[in-house]
Amino acid sequence: MRRTGTDGHGVRERLGSALFTRVAGPEGPKNRARIHGTPGPRWFGPDRPIRAVHGDASMFIGGLSALLLQSLHPLAMAAVSAHSGFRGDPWGRLQRTSTFLAVTTYGTAESAQDACDRVRAVHERVRGVTPEGTRYHAADPHLLGWVHVAEVDSFLRAHQRYGARPLSGADRDAYVADTARVAAALGVLDPPTTVAELAERLSAYRDELRATPQAREAARFLLLNPPVPLVARLPYGVLAANAVSLLPAWAAAELRLPRLPLVDSVCVRPLGSAFTSAVRWAMAPQRARTVQGVA
C-alpha cells in the first residue's frame, strides 16, 4: 500500500512538473523563485481576488476562450497574425503570456511595472495594414481596451464556472478592479472597474467585431490542429470544447463553431470540471513550492 501511494505521488509530481514546464517554459522554476521570493511591495496583496483567479486551473480554459474572443476584432487579429508568431512558436507565446500574468499578479510592484513597460514598448512597434487596407497600431488605447475586456471577461467566466472557489458578487467587482490596475499600466484608458462596467464596455465594441478569414483560420489552428503530442490530444479536446462553450453565443456563431446546448450541459461542462480538477490535483505540488518560496 505504501508503494502504491509513493508511485501515485510520483505520477502526480511528473504530471505537474510537465504541465508547469509547458506553460511556464524552461525558465519557469527560476522565474517562480524570483517572482515569489523577491521582497518588496506588491500591486496585489495575498487576499486580492486577482490572485485567486489567476492561480486557478480554470485559467487553462479561460485563456483559450479569451484568444478566440479577442480574434473577433479585425485589427487585433491582424496584429496577432502578422506579429505575434502564434503559429511558429505557440508555446513560446503562451509562456511569455503566463510569465507576464505571474509577474503582474504576484511579483513586486517594480517588476510588474517593468513588465508592463516592456509590453508597451513592443506594442509601440507593432503597426501594419489589414488585408482590407485598414491601418492598425497595437498601442492604440481603444484596441488595447478590447483585448483587455475580452481577456478579463473570459478569465472571470471560466473561474465562475470551473474555479475551485467561485467569487462572490463583491469579489467579482474587486477582480475587475484589480485587472484595471494592470490595464492602465499597459495603456488602456479608463478600464472598467466593476462587472457592470465590463459588460457595458464589451457591448460597446460589438459593432466592430466580426470573424475575418484570419480569425477563423486561427480558431481552426487552436481547436483542431494544436501543437500538442498525440497523448495529450484527448485532454486538449476537452479543453477546446469548454473554451468554445464559454464563449458568448454570438461569438461562437461568428467563428462558425458548433454549440449544442444539450451536449454542452450533459457532456462538455462536466468534462470541463473534471479536466480542471485533474489539473488542480496535478499542479498542487507546484503550488506548494510557490507558497513555500522554493524554486
Side-chain angles (χ1 to χ4, degrees):
M1 293 297 289
R2 184 176 303 165
R3 182 178 177 182
T4 301
T6 302
D7 290 346
H9 182 72
V11 169
R12 183 181 192 177
E13 284 275 3
R14 288 193 296 275
L15 180 57
S17 179
L19 280 170
F20 179 76
T21 300
R22 180 63 78 177
V23 172
E27 297 296 308
K30 184 196 300 184
N31 289 335
R32 177 175 58 196
R34 174 177 53 83
I35 290 167
H36 295 276
T38 302
R42 263 74 176 160
W43 280 353
F44 310 108
D47 61 336
R48 295 305 300 173
I50 192 171
R51 288 193 169 214
V53 174
H54 292 178
D56 191 81
S58 59
M59 287 286 284
F60 282 83
I61 295 174
L64 181 54
S65 192
L67 291 177
L68 295 171
L69 185 58
Q70 289 167 342
S71 76
L72 289 173
H73 197 297
L75 301 186
M77 186 62 239
V80 167
S81 182
H83 300 276
S84 77
F86 81 96
R87 280 186 175 279
D89 185 24
W91 290 113
R93 184 171 186 245
L94 171 64
Q95 290 156 8
R96 290 188 294 273
T97 300
S98 67
T99 300
F100 175 81
L101 286 169
V103 170
T104 52
T105 303
Y106 306 104
T108 64
E110 181 180 3
S111 296
Q113 185 63 57
D114 285 347
C116 290
D117 290 345
R118 286 195 298 272
V119 171
R120 291 189 75 160
V122 171
H123 286 167
E124 192 59 43
R125 297 192 298 268
V126 174
R127 302 169 183 263
V129 182
T130 69
E132 294 80 15
T134 304
R135 294 187 176 278
Y136 62 80
H137 183 199
D140 174 10
H142 183 72
L143 195 56
L144 288 172
W146 163 249
V147 173
H148 171 68
V149 296
E151 178 179 272
V152 172
D153 183 68
S154 299
F155 290 172
L156 187 55
R157 281 172 178 260
H159 190 79
Q160 294 306 101
R161 183 179 294 182
Y162 305 106
R165 288 176 293 278
L167 303 180
S168 68
D171 280 345
R172 289 197 297 273
D173 283 342
Y175 171 68
V176 177
D178 286 347
T179 64
R181 174 71 181 85
V182 182
L186 287 171
V188 178
L189 300 180
D190 189 29
T193 58
T194 67
V195 170
E197 290 178 3
L198 177 64
E200 289 173 6
R201 199 68 55 87
L202 282 163
S203 180
Y205 279 97
R206 182 66 184 87
D207 290 343
E208 302 174 35
L209 308 178
R210 60 185 176 84
T212 62
Q214 287 176 314
R216 293 195 177 106
E217 184 181 356
R220 285 194 296 272
F221 174 75
L222 291 170
L223 300 175
L224 301 178
N225 301 297
V228 298
L230 186 62
V231 69
R233 284 299 177 100
L234 181 58
Y236 188 89
V238 172
L239 166 65
N242 279 274
V244 172
S245 172
L246 199 66
L247 286 169
W250 64 264
E254 276 285 340
L255 289 167
R256 299 176 185 168
L257 300 174
R259 286 267 293 267
L260 300 174
L262 183 59
V263 175
D264 237 23
S265 60
V266 173
C267 182
V268 173
R269 293 190 188 189
L271 284 173
S273 296
F275 170 85
T276 48
S277 294
V279 171
R280 203 173 287 122
W281 171 82
M283 295 293 288
Q286 304 296 324
R287 288 179 61 83
R289 290 191 182 93
T290 295
V291 171
Q292 296 161 8
V294 179

